[in-house]
Amino acid sequence: MPSPSPDSSASSSVWRDADFRRLWAGQTASQLGEHTTLVVLPLFAVLALDAGAGQLGALRAVGQAPVLLLSLLAGAWVDRWRASTVMVLTDAARAVVLGAAAVAGLLGLLGLPALFVAAFTVGALSVLFDVAYQASLVRLVRRDQLLKGNSALEGSRSAAQIGGPALGGALVSLLSAPVAAASGALFFAVSFMSLRRIRRIESVPEHHGRAPRVRHRIRDGLRFVAGHPLLRAVCLASAAFQFSYAATMTVYLLFLPRELHLSGATVGLTLAATGPGALLGSVLAARLPRRYGHGVVVVSAAVLGNGALLWVPALHGSSAVTVAALLAINFVFGAFGQLVNVTVMSVRQAVTPDGMQGRAAATITFAGMGSAPLGSLLGGFLAQGWGLRTSLLVTAAGMMLSPAVMAASPLVRLGRRLPL
């Protein structure tokens, strides 16, 4: 396939593509459904089923478990199917599961065991959808359009991360938990209807002879990522970031109410500032890498974004100045973090063959998210032994490992054009 100049008019026409618009609309509705459900199901357990703290924690863990259990399998499966087919089927299944849960809840027939099953099922289907969505863009648009396409898609994902939880909480408060669960089903139904209207037939790789076993496809994906200098760096940087970030957030969520004496509402407000920052980061990702170079942008943004959290341990008290500083810190973290996410995703998609897109995405997700539980345990251990302020400084400093890994890798040498 020829590689047009990134400055050509064709490269700016991604929004003129009706199928891209359908993908964007479907992905946006799906993300709203996911993030609404993440709030609705726990609130349903607390408000309707009187779940305790231990039961609530178990419910959240069950919903998150598929990321670790199924990511690699999802990558192997997605690479043998059309991504749009996987997304449509998972949307339909999630709508059915949440719709059934809502009906059972309205009839008083939904207990905690059934809610656990619903949470795990929706989580598993979401893993499949997310891996397929990351593979879909590269099969739908030319590779010189990846940066703008990812910028648009990740911008809508950021908006869903802001609006989904707020919408879920509002629906539970104003209506009822079962009706709020039905709203998640509605979002997935809207996504289903949008994605099934995609007209372009994806060019999935041909497979000759007997299909290799799933474990062999997973092994091939692991070998491909480990053997590619750029993807290996992305994988290591992602693992370092997720580990340190999980440790930092464990201490951070204790530091704000106990050390700074902020109320729950104020803590939520300061954390919400990452959302608008992420929207800005998505916009910048469509421009800065092509102006200054992908390597310079991704490393610099990681240093600035992760480094912003180093200022938190210096804050004292719950004054308006402290709250304003936290808002600014989280905004900066969200903006530069999203700039890194979009740029790295575009690089990963550009250097990965079509037949390996799902497995590459799943391998990097697995490596990153797999380290998060260990990071959370470390954060709790340090907070108990070293105190909150010192622990927060140490764990936030650990987040600088991620840009250090990227700076020591071939990623930093990437220029203005993606390695097509």
Side-chain angles (χ1 to χ4, degrees):
M1 179 183 296
S3 301
S5 167
D7 296 322
S8 68
S9 59
S11 67
S12 63
S13 63
V14 64
W15 279 110
R16 300 176 193 170
D17 188 325
D19 281 337
F20 175 80
R21 293 197 300 271
R22 293 175 184 125
L23 174 64
W24 178 88
Q27 184 259 1
T28 302
S30 175
Q31 290 298 316
L32 279 171
E34 282 190 34
H35 290 286
T36 300
T37 303
L38 286 175
V39 171
V40 168
L41 293 184
L43 286 178
F44 187 99
V46 172
L47 299 177
L49 304 177
D50 197 26
Q55 292 170 318
L56 182 61
L59 177 64
R60 288 178 55 81
V62 164
Q64 295 165 346
V67 176
L68 291 176
L69 297 176
L70 300 177
S71 290
L72 295 177
L73 286 172
W77 290 330
V78 165
D79 280 337
R80 297 197 57 88
W81 291 76
R82 289 192 172 90
S84 58
T85 301
V86 175
M87 291 188 291
V88 166
L89 292 176
T90 53
D91 272 336
R94 287 185 293 182
V96 169
V97 170
L98 283 179
V103 172
L106 289 171
L107 297 176
L109 302 176
L110 185 64
L112 270 177
L115 196 61
F116 273 61
V117 172
F120 182 85
T121 304
V122 172
L125 292 167
S126 295
V127 169
L128 278 168
F129 181 96
D130 290 344
V131 171
Y133 138 71
Q134 292 185 57
S136 64
L137 182 65
V138 76
R139 299 178 185 177
L140 194 64
V141 304
R142 295 192 319 276
R143 298 203 174 202
D144 65 297
Q145 297 176 312
L146 285 175
L147 201 60
K148 294 196 175 194
N150 277 319
S151 175
L153 291 172
E154 289 301 302
S156 69
R157 178 189 285 261
S158 299
Q161 289 173 344
I162 301 169
L167 178 61
L171 289 173
V172 171
S173 299
L174 296 175
L175 301 173
S176 68
V179 174
S183 71
L186 178 62
F187 281 125
F188 292 132
V190 170
S191 179
F192 168 84
M193 289 186 289
S194 179
L195 293 173
R196 70 188 301 268
R197 293 178 60 239
I198 292 177
R199 302 300 182 205
R200 192 171 308 158
I201 302 299
E202 292 178 38
S203 55
V204 295
E206 294 183 3
H207 302 281
H208 301 285
R210 184 178 179 181
R213 294 179 181 271
V214 170
R215 68 173 181 271
H216 294 159
R217 298 203 297 273
I218 291 174
R219 181 196 60 197
D220 291 344
L222 292 170
R223 285 181 174 175
F224 175 74
V225 171
H228 196 292
L230 292 176
L231 296 184
R232 184 169 62 245
V234 169
C235 198
L236 292 173
S238 175
F241 172 80
Q242 294 295 346
F243 178 83
S244 300
Y245 179 65
T248 301
M249 288 305 295
T250 299
V251 183
Y252 187 78
L253 292 174
L254 293 169
F255 181 82
L256 296 188
R258 295 184 181 177
E259 194 74 24
L260 299 184
H261 307 291
L262 299 179
S263 67
T266 304
V267 171
L269 174 66
T270 59
L271 292 175
T274 59
L279 288 176
L280 174 62
S282 297
V283 174
L284 294 176
R287 296 171 172 81
L288 297 186
R290 291 187 175 185
R291 182 171 182 180
Y292 299 106
H294 290 75
V296 170
V297 167
V298 75
V299 174
S300 300
V303 169
L304 293 172
N306 296 355
L309 294 182
L310 286 169
W311 291 97
V312 178
L315 300 176
H316 292 79
S318 57
S319 66
V321 173
T322 295
V323 174
L326 285 169
L327 288 169
I329 289 169
N330 285 322
F331 181 87
V332 170
F333 175 73
F336 287 110
Q338 185 73 325
L339 177 55
V340 173
N341 290 340
V342 174
T343 307
V344 165
M345 184 181 295
S346 298
V347 171
R348 191 258 302 160
Q349 290 171 333
V351 302
T352 303
D354 288 353
M356 197 66 71
Q357 287 288 338
R359 281 169 286 176
T363 299
I364 293 171
T365 298
F366 177 81
M369 297 305 297
S371 66
L374 297 176
S376 296
L377 291 174
L378 176 64
F381 175 78
L382 292 178
Q384 285 183 330
W386 292 5
L388 295 177
R389 196 174 297 274
T390 301
S391 299
L392 185 57
L393 180 61
V394 170
T395 54
M399 292 181 63
M400 303 306 290
L401 286 172
S402 179
V405 169
M406 291 189 286
S409 76
L411 274 172
V412 74
R413 296 193 293 273
L414 291 178
R416 297 179 182 179
R417 295 190 183 187
L418 285 171
L420 302 174

